[in-house]
Short mmCIF file of all heavy atoms in Angstrom, two decimals:
data_model
loop_
_atom_site.label_atom_id
_atom_site.label_comp_id
_atom_site.label_asym_id
_atom_site.label_seq_id
_atom_site.Cartn_x
_atom_site.Cartn_y
_atom_site.Cartn_z
N MET X 1 7.98 109.68 242.65
CA MET X 1 7.05 110.32 241.74
C MET X 1 5.76 110.51 242.48
O MET X 1 5.26 109.63 243.27
CB MET X 1 6.83 109.47 240.48
CG MET X 1 6.33 110.29 239.31
SD MET X 1 6.19 109.25 237.90
CE MET X 1 4.40 109.03 237.89
N GLU X 2 5.10 111.56 242.24
CA GLU X 2 3.83 111.92 242.89
C GLU X 2 2.75 110.92 242.39
O GLU X 2 2.62 110.69 241.26
CB GLU X 2 3.40 113.37 242.56
CG GLU X 2 2.26 113.85 243.37
CD GLU X 2 1.78 115.20 242.92
OE1 GLU X 2 2.63 115.98 242.38
OE2 GLU X 2 0.61 115.50 243.04
N ARG X 3 1.97 110.43 243.40
CA ARG X 3 0.95 109.58 242.98
C ARG X 3 -0.29 110.33 242.54
O ARG X 3 -0.70 111.28 243.21
CB ARG X 3 0.55 108.68 244.18
CG ARG X 3 -0.31 107.50 243.85
CD ARG X 3 -0.58 106.67 245.07
NE ARG X 3 -1.64 105.78 244.79
CZ ARG X 3 -1.53 104.60 244.17
NH1 ARG X 3 -0.34 104.21 243.75
NH2 ARG X 3 -2.60 103.87 243.94
N LYS X 4 -0.84 109.94 241.40
CA LYS X 4 -2.07 110.67 240.90
C LYS X 4 -3.31 110.23 241.64
O LYS X 4 -3.48 109.08 241.94
CB LYS X 4 -2.16 110.39 239.39
CG LYS X 4 -1.11 111.12 238.62
CD LYS X 4 -1.03 110.62 237.25
CE LYS X 4 0.16 111.25 236.45
NZ LYS X 4 0.56 110.32 235.30
N GLN X 5 -4.13 111.21 241.86
CA GLN X 5 -5.38 110.95 242.53
C GLN X 5 -6.50 110.94 241.47
O GLN X 5 -6.55 111.78 240.68
CB GLN X 5 -5.69 112.06 243.55
CG GLN X 5 -4.62 112.12 244.68
CD GLN X 5 -4.79 110.94 245.63
OE1 GLN X 5 -5.91 110.59 245.95
NE2 GLN X 5 -3.68 110.44 246.10
N PHE X 6 -7.29 109.94 241.59
CA PHE X 6 -8.44 109.93 240.66
C PHE X 6 -9.53 109.04 241.32
O PHE X 6 -9.24 108.22 242.19
CB PHE X 6 -8.10 109.38 239.31
CG PHE X 6 -7.42 108.08 239.37
CD1 PHE X 6 -8.19 106.89 239.27
CD2 PHE X 6 -6.02 107.96 239.42
CE1 PHE X 6 -7.50 105.60 239.29
CE2 PHE X 6 -5.37 106.73 239.46
CZ PHE X 6 -6.13 105.57 239.38
N GLN X 7 -10.73 109.27 240.93
CA GLN X 7 -11.84 108.42 241.43
C GLN X 7 -12.94 108.25 240.42
O GLN X 7 -12.94 108.80 239.39
CB GLN X 7 -12.40 109.06 242.74
CG GLN X 7 -12.97 110.44 242.49
CD GLN X 7 -13.60 111.02 243.75
OE1 GLN X 7 -14.17 110.29 244.55
NE2 GLN X 7 -13.58 112.32 243.91
N LEU X 8 -13.89 107.38 240.79
CA LEU X 8 -14.96 107.00 239.93
C LEU X 8 -15.69 108.31 239.47
O LEU X 8 -15.96 109.20 240.29
CB LEU X 8 -15.89 106.08 240.64
CG LEU X 8 -16.98 105.43 239.78
CD1 LEU X 8 -16.39 104.48 238.80
CD2 LEU X 8 -17.95 104.68 240.69
N ASN X 9 -16.07 108.34 238.22
CA ASN X 9 -16.79 109.46 237.54
C ASN X 9 -16.02 110.69 237.32
O ASN X 9 -16.54 111.73 236.82
CB ASN X 9 -18.06 109.86 238.34
CG ASN X 9 -19.06 108.72 238.36
OD1 ASN X 9 -19.30 108.08 237.30
ND2 ASN X 9 -19.72 108.43 239.47
N ASP X 10 -14.65 110.74 237.65
CA ASP X 10 -13.85 111.84 237.19
C ASP X 10 -13.72 111.86 235.68
O ASP X 10 -13.79 110.77 235.08
CB ASP X 10 -12.42 111.67 237.70
CG ASP X 10 -12.25 112.01 239.19
OD1 ASP X 10 -13.21 112.55 239.83
OD2 ASP X 10 -11.13 111.85 239.69
N VAL X 11 -13.59 113.01 235.10
CA VAL X 11 -13.31 113.08 233.67
C VAL X 11 -11.81 113.43 233.59
O VAL X 11 -11.29 114.35 234.19
CB VAL X 11 -14.10 114.17 232.97
CG1 VAL X 11 -13.74 114.31 231.50
CG2 VAL X 11 -15.62 113.84 233.12
N VAL X 12 -11.06 112.66 232.86
CA VAL X 12 -9.64 112.75 232.76
C VAL X 12 -9.15 113.00 231.38
O VAL X 12 -9.80 112.70 230.37
CB VAL X 12 -8.97 111.47 233.36
CG1 VAL X 12 -9.37 111.27 234.81
CG2 VAL X 12 -9.25 110.23 232.56
N GLU X 13 -7.95 113.52 231.30
CA GLU X 13 -7.24 113.67 230.01
C GLU X 13 -6.08 112.62 230.06
O GLU X 13 -5.34 112.53 231.02
CB GLU X 13 -6.71 115.07 229.95
CG GLU X 13 -6.23 115.50 228.59
CD GLU X 13 -5.76 116.93 228.55
OE1 GLU X 13 -6.52 117.80 228.97
OE2 GLU X 13 -4.64 117.16 228.13
N MET X 14 -5.90 111.94 228.94
CA MET X 14 -4.84 110.95 228.81
C MET X 14 -3.69 111.51 227.99
O MET X 14 -3.84 112.51 227.37
CB MET X 14 -5.39 109.73 228.16
CG MET X 14 -6.57 109.08 228.83
SD MET X 14 -6.32 108.68 230.58
CE MET X 14 -5.41 107.08 230.46
N LYS X 15 -2.54 110.96 228.09
CA LYS X 15 -1.38 111.40 227.34
C LYS X 15 -1.65 111.32 225.88
O LYS X 15 -1.14 112.11 225.06
CB LYS X 15 -0.14 110.59 227.68
CG LYS X 15 0.32 111.08 229.07
CD LYS X 15 1.60 110.27 229.56
CE LYS X 15 1.98 110.74 230.96
NZ LYS X 15 2.85 109.78 231.63
N LYS X 16 -2.40 110.29 225.47
CA LYS X 16 -2.78 110.14 224.00
C LYS X 16 -4.25 110.23 223.83
O LYS X 16 -4.97 109.57 224.51
CB LYS X 16 -2.33 108.69 223.62
CG LYS X 16 -1.09 108.73 222.68
CD LYS X 16 -1.02 107.38 222.00
CE LYS X 16 0.39 106.84 222.03
NZ LYS X 16 0.46 105.44 221.55
N PRO X 17 -4.69 111.09 222.92
CA PRO X 17 -6.15 111.21 222.72
C PRO X 17 -6.71 109.94 222.00
O PRO X 17 -5.88 109.15 221.46
CB PRO X 17 -6.26 112.40 221.77
CG PRO X 17 -4.98 112.67 221.21
CD PRO X 17 -3.93 112.01 222.10
N HIS X 18 -7.96 109.76 222.09
CA HIS X 18 -8.63 108.65 221.36
C HIS X 18 -8.54 108.94 219.88
O HIS X 18 -8.51 110.06 219.48
CB HIS X 18 -10.10 108.61 221.83
CG HIS X 18 -10.78 107.30 221.43
ND1 HIS X 18 -11.93 107.34 220.71
CD2 HIS X 18 -10.44 106.00 221.67
CE1 HIS X 18 -12.21 106.02 220.46
NE2 HIS X 18 -11.34 105.25 221.02
N PRO X 19 -8.48 107.90 219.07
CA PRO X 19 -8.39 108.10 217.58
C PRO X 19 -9.52 108.91 217.08
O PRO X 19 -9.43 109.53 215.93
CB PRO X 19 -8.45 106.71 217.01
CG PRO X 19 -7.89 105.82 218.04
CD PRO X 19 -8.24 106.45 219.44
N CYS X 20 -10.67 109.06 217.76
CA CYS X 20 -11.80 109.85 217.27
C CYS X 20 -11.51 111.40 217.44
O CYS X 20 -12.20 112.18 216.98
CB CYS X 20 -13.09 109.48 217.97
SG CYS X 20 -13.29 110.19 219.63
N GLY X 21 -10.41 111.68 218.15
CA GLY X 21 -10.05 113.15 218.24
C GLY X 21 -10.33 113.66 219.59
O GLY X 21 -9.82 114.80 219.98
N GLU X 22 -11.10 113.01 220.39
CA GLU X 22 -11.50 113.53 221.74
C GLU X 22 -10.44 113.07 222.78
O GLU X 22 -9.76 111.97 222.61
CB GLU X 22 -12.84 112.88 222.13
CG GLU X 22 -13.41 113.37 223.42
CD GLU X 22 -13.54 114.92 223.49
OE1 GLU X 22 -14.56 115.47 223.04
OE2 GLU X 22 -12.55 115.56 223.87
N ASN X 23 -10.20 113.96 223.72
CA ASN X 23 -9.29 113.53 224.78
C ASN X 23 -9.93 113.80 226.17
O ASN X 23 -9.26 114.39 227.04
CB ASN X 23 -7.93 114.18 224.73
CG ASN X 23 -6.86 113.43 225.50
OD1 ASN X 23 -7.16 112.47 226.18
ND2 ASN X 23 -5.65 113.90 225.50
N LYS X 24 -11.17 113.36 226.23
CA LYS X 24 -11.82 113.43 227.60
C LYS X 24 -12.42 112.09 227.79
O LYS X 24 -13.17 111.54 226.98
CB LYS X 24 -12.97 114.47 227.51
CG LYS X 24 -12.49 115.90 227.69
CD LYS X 24 -13.62 116.91 227.37
CE LYS X 24 -14.33 117.37 228.63
NZ LYS X 24 -15.34 118.41 228.26
N TRP X 25 -12.06 111.57 228.97
CA TRP X 25 -12.50 110.20 229.30
C TRP X 25 -13.13 110.21 230.71
O TRP X 25 -12.59 110.81 231.55
CB TRP X 25 -11.31 109.23 229.34
CG TRP X 25 -10.55 109.14 228.06
CD1 TRP X 25 -9.61 110.04 227.69
CD2 TRP X 25 -10.61 108.13 227.09
NE1 TRP X 25 -9.07 109.61 226.48
CE2 TRP X 25 -9.69 108.46 226.07
CE3 TRP X 25 -11.41 107.03 226.92
CZ2 TRP X 25 -9.50 107.68 224.97
CZ3 TRP X 25 -11.22 106.20 225.78
CH2 TRP X 25 -10.27 106.51 224.84
N LYS X 26 -14.24 109.48 230.81
CA LYS X 26 -14.86 109.38 232.15
C LYS X 26 -14.55 108.01 232.75
O LYS X 26 -14.65 107.01 232.02
CB LYS X 26 -16.42 109.56 232.03
CG LYS X 26 -17.03 109.66 233.37
CD LYS X 26 -18.53 110.00 233.16
CE LYS X 26 -18.92 111.11 234.13
NZ LYS X 26 -20.28 111.55 233.85
N ILE X 27 -14.12 108.04 233.99
CA ILE X 27 -13.91 106.77 234.72
C ILE X 27 -15.22 106.16 235.05
O ILE X 27 -15.95 106.73 235.86
CB ILE X 27 -13.05 107.01 236.00
CG1 ILE X 27 -11.68 107.67 235.58
CG2 ILE X 27 -12.78 105.69 236.70
CD1 ILE X 27 -10.82 108.08 236.79
N ILE X 28 -15.53 105.05 234.51
CA ILE X 28 -16.85 104.41 234.78
C ILE X 28 -16.76 103.15 235.59
O ILE X 28 -17.76 102.58 235.98
CB ILE X 28 -17.63 104.14 233.49
CG1 ILE X 28 -16.85 103.31 232.47
CG2 ILE X 28 -18.02 105.49 232.78
CD1 ILE X 28 -17.69 102.82 231.30
N ARG X 29 -15.52 102.67 235.81
CA ARG X 29 -15.38 101.48 236.66
C ARG X 29 -13.99 101.46 237.27
O ARG X 29 -13.01 101.77 236.59
CB ARG X 29 -15.56 100.25 235.83
CG ARG X 29 -16.06 99.03 236.68
CD ARG X 29 -15.78 97.75 235.99
NE ARG X 29 -14.61 97.12 236.56
CZ ARG X 29 -14.47 95.83 236.68
NH1 ARG X 29 -15.44 94.97 236.37
NH2 ARG X 29 -13.36 95.29 237.23
N MET X 30 -13.94 101.22 238.58
CA MET X 30 -12.67 101.16 239.26
C MET X 30 -12.50 99.82 239.87
O MET X 30 -13.44 99.32 240.51
CB MET X 30 -12.62 102.22 240.38
CG MET X 30 -12.72 103.63 239.91
SD MET X 30 -11.11 104.41 239.87
CE MET X 30 -10.82 104.65 241.61
N GLY X 31 -11.30 99.28 239.74
CA GLY X 31 -11.06 98.02 240.38
C GLY X 31 -9.60 97.65 240.10
O GLY X 31 -8.71 98.60 240.03
N MET X 32 -9.28 96.42 239.89
CA MET X 32 -7.97 96.00 239.45
C MET X 32 -7.66 96.67 238.08
O MET X 32 -6.56 97.09 237.79
CB MET X 32 -7.87 94.51 239.35
CG MET X 32 -8.09 93.83 240.69
SD MET X 32 -6.55 93.32 241.41
CE MET X 32 -6.03 92.07 240.28
N ASP X 33 -8.75 96.68 237.31
CA ASP X 33 -8.69 97.40 236.03
C ASP X 33 -9.60 98.55 236.09
O ASP X 33 -10.54 98.62 236.84
CB ASP X 33 -9.21 96.45 234.87
CG ASP X 33 -8.31 95.21 234.69
OD1 ASP X 33 -7.14 95.40 234.78
OD2 ASP X 33 -8.87 94.13 234.51
N ILE X 34 -9.23 99.59 235.34
CA ILE X 34 -9.97 100.77 235.25
C ILE X 34 -10.74 100.82 233.89
O ILE X 34 -10.11 100.60 232.89
CB ILE X 34 -9.11 102.01 235.31
CG1 ILE X 34 -8.14 101.93 236.43
CG2 ILE X 34 -9.88 103.34 235.32
CD1 ILE X 34 -8.63 102.34 237.76
N ARG X 35 -11.99 101.17 233.89
CA ARG X 35 -12.73 101.27 232.61
C ARG X 35 -13.07 102.72 232.41
O ARG X 35 -13.58 103.40 233.28
CB ARG X 35 -14.02 100.46 232.62
CG ARG X 35 -14.68 100.50 231.24
CD ARG X 35 -15.96 99.65 231.20
NE ARG X 35 -15.73 98.25 231.03
CZ ARG X 35 -15.50 97.63 229.88
NH1 ARG X 35 -15.49 98.32 228.75
NH2 ARG X 35 -15.30 96.38 229.79
N ILE X 36 -12.59 103.23 231.28
CA ILE X 36 -12.83 104.63 230.95
C ILE X 36 -13.62 104.70 229.64
O ILE X 36 -13.50 103.84 228.77
CB ILE X 36 -11.52 105.42 230.80
CG1 ILE X 36 -10.53 104.82 229.81
CG2 ILE X 36 -10.83 105.70 232.15
CD1 ILE X 36 -9.33 105.62 229.52
N LYS X 37 -14.47 105.77 229.58
CA LYS X 37 -15.33 105.86 228.41
C LYS X 37 -15.02 107.20 227.71
O LYS X 37 -14.90 108.22 228.36
CB LYS X 37 -16.81 105.90 228.83
CG LYS X 37 -17.75 105.75 227.70
CD LYS X 37 -19.16 105.63 228.18
CE LYS X 37 -19.82 106.98 228.04
NZ LYS X 37 -21.19 107.08 228.32
N CYS X 38 -14.79 107.12 226.40
CA CYS X 38 -14.48 108.32 225.63
C CYS X 38 -15.72 109.18 225.58
O CYS X 38 -16.80 108.74 225.23
CB CYS X 38 -14.14 107.89 224.21
SG CYS X 38 -13.82 109.34 223.10
N GLU X 39 -15.57 110.44 225.92
CA GLU X 39 -16.67 111.36 225.96
C GLU X 39 -17.07 111.79 224.49
O GLU X 39 -18.10 112.40 224.32
CB GLU X 39 -16.40 112.60 226.80
CG GLU X 39 -16.13 112.30 228.30
CD GLU X 39 -17.45 112.39 229.09
OE1 GLU X 39 -18.15 111.37 229.18
OE2 GLU X 39 -17.75 113.45 229.59
N GLY X 40 -16.20 111.55 223.61
CA GLY X 40 -16.46 111.92 222.22
C GLY X 40 -17.40 110.99 221.52
O GLY X 40 -18.39 111.31 221.01
N CYS X 41 -17.01 109.71 221.50
CA CYS X 41 -17.73 108.68 220.76
C CYS X 41 -18.35 107.63 221.58
O CYS X 41 -19.09 106.79 221.08
CB CYS X 41 -16.70 108.08 219.71
SG CYS X 41 -15.45 107.07 220.49
N GLY X 42 -18.17 107.63 222.94
CA GLY X 42 -18.78 106.68 223.74
C GLY X 42 -18.12 105.30 223.82
O GLY X 42 -18.57 104.46 224.55
N HIS X 43 -17.02 105.18 223.14
CA HIS X 43 -16.24 103.92 223.16
C HIS X 43 -15.65 103.79 224.56
O HIS X 43 -15.13 104.73 225.14
CB HIS X 43 -15.22 103.93 222.10
CG HIS X 43 -14.34 102.73 222.03
ND1 HIS X 43 -14.85 101.58 221.39
CD2 HIS X 43 -13.12 102.42 222.48
CE1 HIS X 43 -13.87 100.62 221.48
NE2 HIS X 43 -12.83 101.11 222.15
N SER X 44 -15.70 102.54 225.12
CA SER X 44 -14.96 102.38 226.41
C SER X 44 -13.90 101.30 226.33
O SER X 44 -14.01 100.42 225.54
CB SER X 44 -16.04 101.94 227.52
OG SER X 44 -16.48 100.68 227.29
N VAL X 45 -12.90 101.53 227.13
CA VAL X 45 -11.75 100.62 227.19
C VAL X 45 -11.47 100.26 228.64
O VAL X 45 -11.61 101.10 229.55
CB VAL X 45 -10.49 101.22 226.47
CG1 VAL X 45 -10.71 101.25 224.99
CG2 VAL X 45 -10.09 102.55 227.02
N MET X 46 -10.90 99.06 228.78
CA MET X 46 -10.48 98.59 230.08
C MET X 46 -8.97 98.58 230.10
O MET X 46 -8.34 98.04 229.27
CB MET X 46 -11.05 97.21 230.31
CG MET X 46 -10.88 96.67 231.69
SD MET X 46 -12.47 96.82 232.54
CE MET X 46 -12.86 95.11 232.73
N ILE X 47 -8.41 99.17 231.16
CA ILE X 47 -6.94 99.27 231.26
C ILE X 47 -6.48 98.82 232.67
O ILE X 47 -7.11 99.26 233.63
CB ILE X 47 -6.44 100.71 231.03
CG1 ILE X 47 -7.12 101.41 229.86
CG2 ILE X 47 -4.95 100.79 230.96
CD1 ILE X 47 -6.81 102.89 229.71
N PRO X 48 -5.44 98.03 232.78
CA PRO X 48 -4.90 97.73 234.11
C PRO X 48 -4.59 99.04 234.86
O PRO X 48 -4.10 99.90 234.25
CB PRO X 48 -3.68 96.88 233.80
CG PRO X 48 -3.86 96.30 232.46
CD PRO X 48 -4.70 97.44 231.73
N ARG X 49 -4.82 99.07 236.16
CA ARG X 49 -4.67 100.26 236.94
C ARG X 49 -3.29 100.91 236.75
O ARG X 49 -3.09 102.06 236.59
CB ARG X 49 -4.89 99.95 238.40
CG ARG X 49 -4.72 101.13 239.33
CD ARG X 49 -4.98 100.77 240.74
NE ARG X 49 -6.39 100.61 241.06
CZ ARG X 49 -7.13 101.65 241.70
NH1 ARG X 49 -6.54 102.69 242.07
NH2 ARG X 49 -8.38 101.43 241.95
N LYS X 50 -2.23 100.10 236.75
CA LYS X 50 -0.91 100.59 236.70
C LYS X 50 -0.66 101.33 235.40
O LYS X 50 -0.06 102.40 235.33
CB LYS X 50 0.14 99.41 236.87
CG LYS X 50 1.51 99.91 237.14
CD LYS X 50 2.44 98.75 237.38
CE LYS X 50 3.88 99.30 237.57
NZ LYS X 50 4.82 98.22 237.53
N GLN X 51 -1.20 100.67 234.33
CA GLN X 51 -1.08 101.24 233.01
C GLN X 51 -1.85 102.59 232.89
O GLN X 51 -1.44 103.52 232.24
CB GLN X 51 -1.55 100.22 231.98
CG GLN X 51 -0.97 100.47 230.59
CD GLN X 51 -1.50 99.38 229.66
OE1 GLN X 51 -1.71 98.22 229.99
NE2 GLN X 51 -1.70 99.81 228.38
N PHE X 52 -3.03 102.54 233.48
CA PHE X 52 -3.87 103.77 233.49
C PHE X 52 -3.12 104.90 234.15
O PHE X 52 -3.09 105.97 233.62
CB PHE X 52 -5.18 103.45 234.24
CG PHE X 52 -6.03 104.73 234.39
CD1 PHE X 52 -6.83 105.17 233.39
CD2 PHE X 52 -5.97 105.37 235.63
CE1 PHE X 52 -7.61 106.28 233.55
CE2 PHE X 52 -6.77 106.59 235.78
CZ PHE X 52 -7.55 106.97 234.74
N GLU X 53 -2.48 104.68 235.32
CA GLU X 53 -1.76 105.71 236.02
C GLU X 53 -0.63 106.29 235.17
O GLU X 53 -0.28 107.47 235.25
CB GLU X 53 -1.22 105.15 237.36
CG GLU X 53 -2.34 105.01 238.37
CD GLU X 53 -1.88 104.44 239.68
OE1 GLU X 53 -0.62 104.33 239.91
OE2 GLU X 53 -2.67 104.13 240.56
N GLN X 54 -0.01 105.34 234.38
CA GLN X 54 1.08 105.83 233.54
C GLN X 54 0.59 106.71 232.39
O GLN X 54 1.25 107.63 231.95
CB GLN X 54 1.85 104.69 232.93
CG GLN X 54 2.77 103.97 233.97
CD GLN X 54 3.22 102.58 233.54
OE1 GLN X 54 2.77 102.07 232.50
NE2 GLN X 54 4.08 101.92 234.29
N LYS X 55 -0.60 106.36 231.90
CA LYS X 55 -1.17 107.10 230.69
C LYS X 55 -1.94 108.29 231.08
O LYS X 55 -2.29 109.11 230.23
CB LYS X 55 -2.00 106.14 229.87
CG LYS X 55 -1.23 105.02 229.21
CD LYS X 55 -2.05 104.18 228.30
CE LYS X 55 -1.19 103.27 227.49
NZ LYS X 55 -2.02 102.45 226.54
N LEU X 56 -2.34 108.40 232.30
CA LEU X 56 -3.13 109.57 232.77
C LEU X 56 -2.29 110.83 232.75
O LEU X 56 -1.19 110.89 233.24
CB LEU X 56 -3.59 109.28 234.19
CG LEU X 56 -4.38 110.46 234.93
CD1 LEU X 56 -5.71 110.70 234.20
CD2 LEU X 56 -4.64 110.13 236.38
N LYS X 57 -2.89 111.88 232.19
CA LYS X 57 -2.20 113.16 232.17
C LYS X 57 -2.74 113.98 233.37
O LYS X 57 -1.94 114.41 234.21
CB LYS X 57 -2.42 113.90 230.86
CG LYS X 57 -1.52 114.99 230.61
CD LYS X 57 -1.54 115.38 229.11
CE LYS X 57 -1.08 116.77 228.88
NZ LYS X 57 -1.42 117.20 227.56
N LYS X 58 -4.06 114.19 233.40
CA LYS X 58 -4.62 114.94 234.54
C LYS X 58 -6.12 114.72 234.61
O LYS X 58 -6.74 114.38 233.65
CB LYS X 58 -4.24 116.43 234.41
CG LYS X 58 -4.84 117.02 233.25
CD LYS X 58 -4.55 118.55 233.11
CE LYS X 58 -5.05 119.12 231.82
NZ LYS X 58 -4.68 120.50 231.64
N VAL X 59 -6.62 115.02 235.81
CA VAL X 59 -8.05 115.01 236.01
C VAL X 59 -8.52 116.35 235.60
O VAL X 59 -8.06 117.38 236.12
CB VAL X 59 -8.43 114.74 237.53
CG1 VAL X 59 -9.93 114.86 237.71
CG2 VAL X 59 -7.98 113.31 237.88
N ILE X 60 -9.48 116.51 234.67
CA ILE X 60 -9.98 117.83 234.26
C ILE X 60 -11.33 118.14 234.92
O ILE X 60 -11.59 119.33 235.11
CB ILE X 60 -10.01 117.98 232.75
CG1 ILE X 60 -10.63 116.76 232.05
CG2 ILE X 60 -8.58 118.19 232.22
CD1 ILE X 60 -10.64 116.92 230.51
N GLU X 61 -12.12 117.18 235.17
CA GLU X 61 -13.30 117.46 235.89
C GLU X 61 -13.55 116.44 237.06
O GLU X 61 -14.04 115.32 236.80
CB GLU X 61 -14.58 117.37 234.93
CG GLU X 61 -14.63 118.51 233.94
CD GLU X 61 -15.64 118.22 232.82
OE1 GLU X 61 -16.69 117.63 233.10
OE2 GLU X 61 -15.37 118.57 231.66
N PRO X 62 -13.20 116.81 238.28
CA PRO X 62 -13.38 115.84 239.29
C PRO X 62 -14.84 115.60 239.62
O PRO X 62 -15.66 116.47 239.47
CB PRO X 62 -12.71 116.51 240.55
CG PRO X 62 -12.00 117.71 240.01
CD PRO X 62 -12.65 118.06 238.67
N ALA X 63 -15.12 114.31 239.99
CA ALA X 63 -16.48 113.94 240.42
C ALA X 63 -16.78 114.67 241.75
O ALA X 63 -15.84 114.96 242.44
CB ALA X 63 -16.61 112.50 240.55
N ASN X 64 -17.96 114.97 242.07
CA ASN X 64 -18.36 115.64 243.26
C ASN X 64 -18.19 114.69 244.48
O ASN X 64 -18.69 113.60 244.51
CB ASN X 64 -19.69 116.21 243.25
CG ASN X 64 -19.76 117.34 242.24
OD1 ASN X 64 -18.88 118.15 242.15
ND2 ASN X 64 -20.86 117.31 241.43
ZN1 ZN I 101 -13.54 108.38 221.01
#
């Protein structure tokens, strides 16, 4: 399977939208765990990297 590329400050779309209805998340921390922040309501969640890669649909706004 193709490995997904992503980096800090990318805005990504996940397979499942946040319950608030938004499906744009900004990567705000990278490490063993990835922290993403919902662009709709500002809620942030921490996800293990492997799980993040499984749930990631695509990068919609790459960081510069
Ligand atoms: Zn939200």
Side-chain angles (χ1 to χ4, degrees):
M1 202 178 104
E2 192 186 331
R3 194 178 163 82
K4 287 167 186 155
Q5 296 289 319
F6 54 89
Q7 61 175 328
L8 191 65
N9 293 319
D10 281 356
V11 177
V12 300
E13 191 177 306
M14 304 302 281
K15 284 178 184 161
K16 254 195 223 171
H18 192 235
C20 79
E22 185 56 89
N23 196 0
K24 279 169 98 176
W25 301 81
K26 188 174 225 171
I27 301 175
I28 57 170
R29 207 197 100 142
M30 296 259 286
M32 297 261 291
D33 295 318
I34 310 280
R35 185 178 281 277
I36 53 174
K37 192 175 102 178
C38 174
E39 295 270 89
C41 67
H43 182 79
S44 71
V45 291
M46 190 100 111
I47 314 173
R49 181 180 282 260
K50 195 175 174 192
Q51 203 178 327
F52 174 81
E53 286 178 8
Q54 286 165 354
K55 292 186 172 180
L56 175 67
K57 198 165 158 194
K58 62 182 178 185
V59 174
I60 45 180
E61 290 168 35
N64 293 316

